[in-house]
Amino acid sequence: MPHPARDTVTLHDVAAAAGVSLATASRVLGASSRTVAPEFRERVLAAAERLRYTADASARAMRQVSDSLALVADDVTTPSMAIVVSAMERAASTTGAFVTVSATHGDPGRQLETIRRVRALRPRALVLTSGRVDADAVAGGLLAELRAYEHDGGRVVIVGDTDLPFHSVGFDNHRAAARLGRYVADTGHRRVVVVAGGRGEAAPAARTAGFVEGLRAGGVAESAVRIVHCPVSREGGYEVAHRLAAEGLRGTDAILAVNDLIAVGALRALREAEVAVPDDVSLTGFDDIGAAVNVTPRLTTVALPLAYAGTEAIRLALGEPGAVTHVTVEGRLVVRDSTRERAATAG
């Protein structure tokens, strides 16, 4: 049996190159929860990248059989992501594999660092979920890291919009949102507030653009559409709707939220302000999570087959080698009790 190459990089080499102790290097590059001073952390990460320590360790590990699938997600606490993860776990369990989960909170630098770390756990495949994953993320480091991982024998799958050359499962956020916006316009609504979530977030931005496109196609004047931003959460929706009610709705007859969580929070604030939904104002969400049918009135929304997306991601992760496959998941308009027809007036 051949011996390892003499120039194989070890953790000792990284520690020496960074000028830190072996224990410090291990804490930075391992799974330790102990805090390391920022200057030492940066030195270790820079040395590891320069010496390609992670890639070499991963290459050795990839020669061993692994039953794990690594999921790296922006946020694993949202109901929509919980549906995706649950479906992934079920699909993986049928093959004897299991899923490990890491959260990056949408920070590109943390995303890159997390991927470097999970590679050391020698996962069979890596599923990266994010609103948008770009090739130039972190100065191209993300693409380089994922390419190296595949070169070492791993499989990469992206859940979300991406221009990366890997298998992917994407959502038709813009087109589905345009369908909902057109429905709202066609039912007579002419003064609309779009609760757009956080600025610069890919999926909320695509949904917002789709809403506006659909509204305009249905005859709503651009000047009659107001876009407001908030955290993508119940609390964010509550605060926005509370503020809108305090200002006076000023003729607003529909509020379109970029997801169901925001809509549920808005519904609570409107109820507290004695604004009736849908009699005074219609309200819509997006995703069709469980909360959409567990509130009164039940939410008109767009149903995304989130469980299907999770299952497809695992199918691609565990499938036979072949051409890169891109799957687009369609959204479906679901009309419930939180909207009603109105007599259209001039916009």
Side-chain angles (χ1 to χ4, degrees):
M1 187 179 211
H3 293 288
R6 297 180 65 85
D7 60 350
T8 296
V9 177
T10 68
L11 191 59
H12 291 270
D13 297 323
V14 175
V20 301
S21 69
L22 180 60
T24 296
S26 178
R27 287 177 194 138
V28 172
L29 298 174
S32 174
S33 60
R34 296 186 62 179
T35 301
V36 175
E39 64 175 290
F40 295 134
R41 181 183 187 78
E42 291 302 318
R43 281 159 54 179
V44 170
L45 290 176
E49 183 172 5
R50 185 169 65 253
L51 298 176
R52 292 185 56 79
Y53 168 77
T54 302
D56 291 339
S58 179
R60 294 193 298 274
M62 279 293 174
R63 299 189 187 108
Q64 304 176 23
V65 176
S66 172
D67 292 326
S68 69
L69 305 174
L71 170 63
V72 178
D74 285 350
D75 186 355
V76 297
T77 64
T78 65
S80 57
M81 183 51 61
I83 294 171
V84 173
V85 173
S86 179
M88 289 178 60
E89 289 177 333
R90 287 195 303 271
S93 68
T94 64
T95 69
F98 64 94
V99 178
T100 65
V101 183
S102 302
T104 64
H105 306 291
D107 178 74
R110 185 167 179 176
Q111 190 178 66
L112 176 58
E113 182 180 335
T114 300
I115 289 171
R116 284 174 172 161
R117 289 188 174 191
V118 299
R119 286 181 59 195
L121 301 176
R122 55 189 183 276
R124 182 173 172 183
L126 192 157
V127 180
L128 176 60
T129 77
S130 186
R132 174 74 194 177
V133 185
D134 295 311
D136 62 356
V138 199
L142 179 63
L143 175 59
E145 194 70 22
L146 293 176
R147 280 192 182 280
Y149 170 72
E150 276 207 331
H151 182 267
D152 292 340
R155 176 74 63 86
V156 175
V157 179
I158 310 293
V159 178
D161 294 333
T162 184
D163 61 356
L164 295 179
F166 306 109
H167 296 293
S168 68
V169 180
F171 300 98
D172 71 334
N173 284 302
H174 185 281
R175 185 164 58 174
R179 201 173 299 133
L180 188 150
R182 181 60 186 261
Y183 163 77
V184 169
D186 286 347
T187 49
H189 300 83
R190 287 297 178 266
R191 295 191 65 83
V192 181
V193 172
V194 175
V195 187
R199 296 180 186 276
E201 297 183 29
R207 294 175 185 183
T208 297
F211 288 156
V212 174
E213 179 182 295
L215 289 166
R216 293 184 64 185
V220 177
E222 185 174 1
S223 60
V225 179
R226 179 184 176 189
I227 298 173
V228 296
H229 295 271
C230 72
V232 181
S233 63
R234 284 185 179 89
E235 293 75 16
Y238 177 89
E239 291 299 329
V240 163
H242 179 77
R243 186 168 65 250
L244 290 173
E247 293 172 354
L249 292 176
R250 301 174 187 175
T252 296
D253 51 21
I255 297 174
L256 279 57
V258 294
N259 79 0
D260 293 334
L261 279 181
I262 292 174
V264 169
L267 181 61
R268 178 186 158 208
L270 293 171
R271 183 180 295 118
E272 290 180 0
E274 298 184 348
V275 176
V277 176
D279 292 340
D280 296 330
V281 63
S282 291
L283 176 67
T284 70
F286 203 108
D287 286 334
D288 200 27
I289 61 175
V293 293
N294 291 326
V295 292
T296 302
R298 299 177 307 155
L299 287 176
T300 290
T301 188
V302 169
L304 288 181
L306 299 167
Y308 173 77
T311 301
E312 277 294 285
I314 296 303
R315 182 184 68 80
L316 293 172
L318 300 180
E320 295 297 323
V324 171
T325 300
H326 300 290
V327 177
T328 300
V329 177
E330 300 287 332
R332 177 174 56 88
L333 175 63
V334 179
V335 178
R336 297 197 180 102
D337 309 323
S338 66
T339 54
R340 73 170 181 85
E341 292 194 20
R342 302 182 190 282
T345 58

